[in-house]
Amino acid sequence: MWDGTQQGPGLAGLALRLLEREPPRGPVLAPEAYLPGSLAGCVAALARPERTPDPAALAGLCLKYAYAYVYPDRAGEDISLAEITRLCGCFVRRRGGCLALEGQDALRRLLLHHGFALQMLLDLPKTVHLLTALLESAPLVRPGPSFLGFDLGAGTGILLLGQYLLARRLGHEAPCLRGVEHLPHVAARADALLANLGIGRVLAGDATTSAIYNNLPQGAVSCLSNETLPSRGRRLCKEPFARINAALFGALGARLGGTVFLPGAVWVVDGEGRSWLRLAPENAFAGEGLGKPARLYRMADVELAGRRFPADKVGEDYADLLDPPWRAALGRRW
């Protein structure tokens, strides 16, 4: 109780307290589904072709990766589910605040500054769906002595980790993986984590410009991921997907003949719903219909592992990985 001799929190502090809410209760993932061991150990286990990468294992991998992204000095530790749940709660409440964030100014700043990249990672049903689609593409990967993979708009680098698992499960001991991320602070953090794990590197740069592709390794591209898409119903030009593909195919078109892409195709529709376009590798993810380019069409569907999904239904088959309160709190990818 304040007795008049202590400094109170002040009007601004009291106003901020009014915004505070607590995150969902209970673990973010069912305890029986959570993989024990360090991040590196889990990566090694899932890289073995005899191990089936079930959705719960991939969700646990994503959580361990997120924790290591925030706390890179603990990447070699076996982090408990309780600690990871606490971090997820802090992330969910990074703007409004919660008890776990009191006095944690540095953590809160990091979660805010890296919020968009972490949101992509921590929407677990969608991220698990994308990773599953990557791993299911194994039969389509061009046979060869090496594996070269790129991720454009890499964010935290989680899809580069997915490409690493794909390559290792195909027998490639040392795949060459590179990501491009336009936010320098996100690129630097993802690069340090992936390099420490021996997975790949992330460059800070603009994937919508042809110059960045001069900095990537030479050779035929085995796999390429680019999920820089708007949410369903928004114009494609609201995100850099179309501009990235224009630069990519302009610079590397001859090296993309046998590349496995994620997504495999994107469907867009005009505002009236009369004209649909399928954007895919064979048309360089571009096109024109009814007198206007594809970038002015609206986002509709994506193809993942040969199946077509409305963009807002991606991850729906994996929603039960999380309890409904956590699902609603973390489901913010696109």
Side-chain angles (χ1 to χ4, degrees):
M1 180 177 182
W2 186 56
D3 61 4
T5 63
Q6 299 168 323
Q7 180 90 27
L11 186 59
L14 290 172
L16 288 174
R17 289 275 180 86
L18 293 175
L19 298 175
E20 287 188 357
R21 301 287 188 277
E22 290 308 299
R25 295 183 178 182
V28 67
L29 195 68
E32 63 272 15
Y34 181 66
L35 284 175
S38 67
L39 172 61
C42 291
V43 171
L46 291 171
R48 293 196 295 268
E50 64 272 16
R51 168 67 188 267
T52 301
D54 60 277
L58 292 174
L61 180 71
C62 290
L63 290 172
K64 290 176 184 288
Y65 189 85
Y67 197 93
Y69 182 90
V70 175
Y71 298 109
D73 56 330
R74 301 190 63 190
E77 299 180 27
D78 183 0
I79 306 299
S80 70
L81 180 58
E83 286 186 88
I84 287 179
T85 296
R86 181 181 177 88
L87 176 62
C88 289
C90 290
F91 177 73
V92 167
R93 297 299 308 159
R94 64 193 182 280
R95 293 190 180 91
C98 62
L99 286 175
L101 276 171
E102 285 194 6
Q104 300 289 323
D105 294 345
L107 172 61
R108 192 168 186 173
R109 281 195 300 270
L110 189 149
L111 295 178
L112 287 168
H113 292 163
H114 294 259
F116 185 76
L118 283 167
Q119 191 70 77
M120 299 299 100
L121 168 58
L122 286 172
D123 189 340
L124 292 179
K126 291 187 180 70
T127 302
V128 168
H129 193 163
L130 294 176
L131 291 174
T132 300
L134 259 181
L135 297 177
E136 288 178 353
S137 71
L140 304 177
V141 176
R142 174 177 41 212
S146 61
F147 186 104
L148 176 61
F150 298 151
D151 182 25
L152 307 179
T156 63
I158 188 62
L159 292 185
L160 276 183
L161 173 53
Q163 289 195 36
Y164 177 82
L165 295 178
L166 170 64
R168 289 295 309 276
R169 293 171 67 83
L170 286 171
H172 296 280
E173 291 297 320
C176 181
L177 303 174
R178 296 291 185 270
V180 177
E181 168 55 42
H182 78 286
L183 293 175
H185 62 287
V186 173
R189 204 168 190 91
D191 179 62
L193 177 55
L194 289 169
N196 181 50
L197 291 169
I199 288 173
R201 304 302 298 266
V202 176
L203 310 176
D206 184 356
T208 68
T209 63
S210 58
I212 192 67
Y213 298 99
N214 295 327
N215 300 325
L216 297 178
Q218 297 298 307
V221 181
S222 306
C223 185
L224 192 143
S225 48
N226 173 11
E227 56 151 342
T228 58
L229 291 163
S231 56
R232 196 168 200 266
R234 297 186 72 210
R235 292 189 188 276
L236 193 63
C237 62
K238 293 297 183 181
E239 296 292 343
F241 182 82
R243 301 193 302 278
I244 287 175
N245 280 299
L248 168 71
F249 280 86
L252 304 183
R255 297 166 54 189
L256 302 173
T259 303
V260 171
F261 285 84
L262 182 82
V266 170
W267 290 81
V268 293
V269 63
D270 70 345
E272 292 74 35
R274 294 177 301 183
S275 174
W276 288 76
L277 295 175
R278 182 179 184 268
L279 312 180
E282 53 265 30
N283 58 19
F285 289 94
E288 187 164 330
L290 295 182
K292 60 183 177 182
R295 69 177 185 276
L296 298 180
Y297 275 54
R298 298 184 183 277
M299 179 66 198
D301 304 342
V302 294
E303 291 182 21
L304 300 172
R307 294 178 60 199
R308 181 174 169 179
F309 299 87
D312 57 351
K313 301 299 183 184
V314 171
E316 197 171 70
D317 291 345
Y318 304 91
D320 288 343
L321 288 168
L322 304 176
D323 284 337
W326 280 111
R327 197 183 309 157
L330 293 174
R332 297 286 188 274
R333 181 183 281 271
W334 31 254

